[in-house]
């Protein structure tokens, strides 16, 4: 497995690969089965598989968990590299913040519609940090295909729009959320949960599934979401949002009985912020040329 540390090293490696099909999975490390699934599913679709591990400072708010993010521990990064070797990753791109953001850098990439609802107002600057870093990573690696998890559904739809708007020559594709046996979406942040909160955490997915079923029965999304929000609050979650929006623009649905929908939630348990979602009628994304693997 080749180690790449700068955009220049990534470019040199990339040009040596000639016309080989390049697949790319960007991550912030502290890898778990969700990340492994993206790599496993992309491996047979490409000739060279690239993983990046970069805890991107520009997507964290001032009171978020950047400095305690698990990847900063050397043993976590070592385990990540071991897993990457086992999954037959060809090259791992590990830039430093200094390489990614030299002091004179003054350019941002910003998507201005899909990034507005849900996490947008709660994490000012977050999606601008994500679109900027992913643009830079895609420019360094120049892959044919990049896989992103639908666990971060809003992020996926923002990046898919960005690639389209900027005419990037990469296929941005989404992969189904990998869950623990009790339904909790796998996340590098689950390790912050106390034992009691870990037991409670799967209620988010259960609430989302109940909303899905009610919407499929023809109930009004707004009132179903209200009910689910109250039920989670009563169980001790600090619910930041639980909403049903139409895909791919993440606008309130004009047509909840027919359109592809995202039912998404963010809630805090103690100081840990969890997000999860379910997608209704994902088959309606294919005609829009939006590729998801479920
Ligand atoms: P992160 O390291 O959290 O930035 O995640 C890197 C990539 O892995 C993103 O595209 C995430 O959406 C994806 N990912 C994280 N958790 C999961 C999961 N449980 N299932 C599927 N993909 C995931």
């Amino acid at each position: 497995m080749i180690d790449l540390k700068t955009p220049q090293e990534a470019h040199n490696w990339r040009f040596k690969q000639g016309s080989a099909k390049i697949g790319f999975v960007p991550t912030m490390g502290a890898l778990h089965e969700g990340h492994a699934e993206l790599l496993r599913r992309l491996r047979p679709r490409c000739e060279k598989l690239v993983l990046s591990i970069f805890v991107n400072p520009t997507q964290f708010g001032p009171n978020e968990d950047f400095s305690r993010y698990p990847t900063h521990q050397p043993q976590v990064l070592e385990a990540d590299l071991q897993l990457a070797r086992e999954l037959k990753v060809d090259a791992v791109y590990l830039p430093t913040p200094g390489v990614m953001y030299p002091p004179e850098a003054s350019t941002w990439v910003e998507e201005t519609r899909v990034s507005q609802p849900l996490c947008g107002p709660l994490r000012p600057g977050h999606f601008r940090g994500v679109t900027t870093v992913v643009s830079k990573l895609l420019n360094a690696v120049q892959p044919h295909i990049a896989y992103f998890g639908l666990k971060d559904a809003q992020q996926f739809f923002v990046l898919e729009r960005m690639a389209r708007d900027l005419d990037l020559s990469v296929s941005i594709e989404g992969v189904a959320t990998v869950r623990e046996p009790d339904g909790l979406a796998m996340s590098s942040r689950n390790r912050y949960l106390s034992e009691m909160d870990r037991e409670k955490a799967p209620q988010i997915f259960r609430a989302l599934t109940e909303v899905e079923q009610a919407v499929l029965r023809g109930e009004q999304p707004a009132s179903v979401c209200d009910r689910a929000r109250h039920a989670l609050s009563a169980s001790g979650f600090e619910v930041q949002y639980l909403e049903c929006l139409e895909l791919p623009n993440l606008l309130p649905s004009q047509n909840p009985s027919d359109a592809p929908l995202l039912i998404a939630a963010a809630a805090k348990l103690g100081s840990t912020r969890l997000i999860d979602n379910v997608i209704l009628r994902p088959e309606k994304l294919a005609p829009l040329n939006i590729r998801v693997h479920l």
Side-chain angles (χ1 to χ4, degrees):
M1 188 167 75
I2 307 271
D3 236 22
L4 305 167
K5 293 217 153 31
T6 64
Q8 291 71 31
E9 284 179 22
H11 283 152
N12 292 340
W13 176 84
R14 176 67 185 84
F15 285 111
K16 280 193 211 129
Q17 308 315 311
S19 60
K21 194 158 182 189
I22 311 288
F24 181 38
V25 178
T27 76
M28 298 203 298
L31 302 182
H32 50 68
E33 197 48 36
H35 302 109
E37 181 71 4
L38 302 190
L39 291 164
R40 270 192 215 107
R41 292 179 75 160
L42 186 49
R43 178 68 279 185
R45 291 192 61 204
C46 60
E47 287 157 281
K48 297 288 172 182
L49 181 58
V50 185
L51 163 73
S52 67
I53 299 177
F54 178 61
V55 186
N56 174 34
T58 66
Q59 70 187 72
F60 287 81
N63 299 314
E64 295 183 0
D65 56 345
F66 174 73
S67 54
R68 67 166 177 149
Y69 206 79
T71 312
H72 296 309
Q73 299 165 27
Q75 69 275 24
V76 171
L77 181 60
E78 202 34 62
D80 286 353
L81 296 175
Q82 184 51 36
L83 178 66
R85 283 187 283 267
E86 285 163 21
L87 295 173
K88 307 271 183 276
V89 167
D90 294 288
V92 59
Y93 183 33
L94 293 160
T96 60
V99 157
M100 290 296 264
Y101 301 110
E104 67 277 16
S106 54
T107 304
W108 295 98
V109 176
E110 191 162 18
E111 190 284 332
T112 60
R113 184 177 303 139
V114 186
S115 56
Q116 293 308 297
L118 306 180
C119 290
L122 290 156
R123 303 187 73 187
H126 169 70
F127 286 115
R128 183 179 80 158
V130 170
T131 44
T132 300
V133 81
V134 172
S135 301
K136 290 169 66 69
L137 295 169
L138 292 172
N139 282 334
V141 174
Q142 299 185 30
H144 297 89
I145 312 176
Y147 270 14
F148 294 88
L150 293 173
K151 150 83 167 41
D152 302 284
Q154 186 175 16
Q155 168 175 279
F156 167 72
F157 287 98
V158 166
L159 291 171
E160 204 279 333
R161 176 63 52 85
M162 171 192 85
R164 211 173 270 266
D165 288 348
L166 298 182
D167 306 312
L168 302 187
S169 68
V170 56
S171 179
I172 301 288
E173 305 188 15
V175 176
T177 302
V178 178
R179 299 180 179 283
E180 301 286 356
D182 61 9
L184 176 65
M186 289 194 182
S187 163
S188 307
R189 291 182 168 110
N190 289 350
R191 66 186 77 193
Y192 303 148
L193 291 167
S194 70
E195 206 175 313
M196 240 170 68
D197 287 342
R198 171 63 191 82
E199 261 177 50
K200 231 187 249 184
Q203 287 183 38
I204 300 183
F205 180 53
R206 259 177 259 146
L208 291 167
T209 318
E210 282 168 24
V211 172
E212 175 186 35
Q213 294 309 312
V215 172
L216 285 175
R217 283 194 303 270
E219 289 187 48
Q220 275 308 311
S223 58
V224 180
C225 286
D226 268 350
R227 256 192 352 245
R229 224 177 282 128
H230 286 122
L232 283 177
S233 301
S235 298
F237 290 82
E238 186 195 317
V239 184
Q240 295 188 325
Y241 61 75
L242 193 159
E243 282 183 58
C244 180
L245 297 173
E246 191 165 317
L247 292 170
N249 287 315
L250 301 196
L251 294 171
S253 183
Q254 303 302 312
N255 187 11
S257 61
D258 196 42
L261 300 175
L262 176 70
I263 304 167
K268 284 176 89 170
L269 273 177
S271 60
T272 307
R273 183 175 184 272
L274 301 172
I275 59 169
D276 200 354
N277 68 84
V278 299
I279 296 180
L280 246 81
R281 310 183 189 102
E283 70 284 358
K284 300 212 167 184
L285 296 170
L288 308 172
N289 277 324
I290 297 175
R291 299 205 175 117
V292 294
H293 305 279
L294 300 171

